[in-house]
Amino acid sequence: DLYCAGVADEEEEGKGIRYLIEHGPIADGSIIGEPTGLRIARGHKGLEWIVVKFHGHKVHGGAQSRGVNAIEIASHFVNEIYQNYVPILSTRIDPSLGSPTINIGTIVGGDQPSTVPDYCEIKMDRRMVSSEDIKQVYKELNEIARIILNKHPNCRIEIEDMYNGRTLPHLPFVLDAEDHLIRCVSDALEETGNNVELTVFPAWTDAGFLASQTSSHCIVMGPGDLAVAHSTDENVNINQLYKAARIYCITAMRYCKG
């Protein structure tokens, strides 16, 4: 059997892929058509979006010694991330996925320049490799929070999943390079005169959910360039689109024959 599934909400909570996982059908092999330039991405890192909330004490700026500046506390946390935590992450080299990463994506806090702010919030993107898990991620971030609290005991720090547990876990995955699905796609690429290149995808896809929550063997492979995704000039080259259609068709015939 051959299925084509168009699922919604991939950019946020993954409601579409969750429905597919819970209700089926689940295929033996799955190709996620994200833009890889027709390269075979056999895996990608896991993903956790995290909110860190800093609580201080608000006072007038003229009496700032009586307050606790939540933005200042947040800055110490961010410095600890980049000065001491990022170097640790860079040593955890996965042979396929590279090193895990962390990115401070947003920061908000305070209400006016003359007030010591009692609240600040940052949102982070944490990418995991296969040797890590989500529990470990939060344990390490809470340890960083304890370091800050030891120096600034009059504040409070909360670290939370941005989606508050509403999504399936965003776990890393890597498919064996000799898997039957990869062999079929490779044959289809060669048959259509395209180069065969194995890689890993630098972003998150629904393949992570399928690979971790089902027995489906997954790859990411599709037309287009990730560099132009989410841009005002987002596009897919029409010739590459035609090539992808042929590659998918030949792959399906080979794979479904076993």
Side-chain angles (χ1 to χ4, degrees), residues 12 24 48 75 144 172 180-181 190 241:
E12 294 294 333
E48 189 76 358
S75 71
I144 293 171
H180 180 55
L181 177 60
E190 290 179 343
L241 184 65

Side-chain angles (χ1 to χ4, degrees), residues 53-93:
K53 301 175 181 179
F54 303 88
H55 302 270
H57 179 62
K58 181 184 286 189
V59 297
H60 190 280
Q64 59 183 281
S65 62
R66 298 179 183 177
V68 178
N69 191 315
I71 293 177
E72 179 185 353
I73 303 303
S75 71
H76 293 312
F77 185 91
V78 171
N79 284 337
E80 185 70 23
I81 290 283
Y82 285 110
Q83 290 179 6
N84 296 314
Y85 188 45
V86 169
I88 293 173
L89 296 182
S90 67
T91 66
R92 299 176 185 169
I93 301 175

Side-chain angles (χ1 to χ4, degrees), residues 80-147:
E80 185 70 23
I81 290 283
Y82 285 110
Q83 290 179 6
N84 296 314
Y85 188 45
V86 169
I88 293 173
L89 296 182
S90 67
T91 66
R92 299 176 185 169
I93 301 175
D94 184 283
S96 299
L97 299 177
S99 298
T101 61
I102 190 167
N103 179 67
I104 310 296
T106 69
I107 181 167
V108 295
D111 48 31
Q112 62 169 335
S114 62
T115 300
V116 173
D118 64 346
Y119 183 77
C120 185
E121 177 183 292
I122 66 173
K123 293 181 180 178
M124 304 185 297
D125 175 301
R126 175 69 160 82
R127 305 278 167 157
M128 297 166 287
V129 296
S130 301
S131 61
E132 301 179 303
D133 58 44
I134 294 174
K135 183 178 179 180
Q136 174 186 356
V137 167
Y138 284 98
K139 179 180 178 181
E140 292 173 349
L141 291 175
N142 278 295
E143 179 57 36
I144 293 171
R146 280 191 287 272
I147 292 172

Side-chain angles (χ1 to χ4, degrees), residues 171-189:
L171 302 178
F173 86 97
V174 179
L175 186 62
D176 189 282
E178 298 301 319
D179 188 86
H180 180 55
L181 177 60
I182 291 179
R183 292 200 304 271
C184 289
V185 178
S186 298
D187 289 345
L189 283 163

Side-chain angles (χ1 to χ4, degrees), residues 39-57:
R39 293 183 293 274
I40 302 171
R42 62 189 189 94
H44 60 60
K45 296 173 185 175
L47 167 66
E48 189 76 358
W49 279 0
I50 301 164
V51 182
V52 186
K53 301 175 181 179
F54 303 88
H55 302 270
H57 179 62

Side-chain angles (χ1 to χ4, degrees), residues 186-201:
S186 298
D187 289 345
L189 283 163
E190 290 179 343
E191 187 171 330
T192 53
N194 294 282
N195 294 328
V196 177
E197 182 180 347
L198 295 186
T199 185
V200 292
F201 199 62

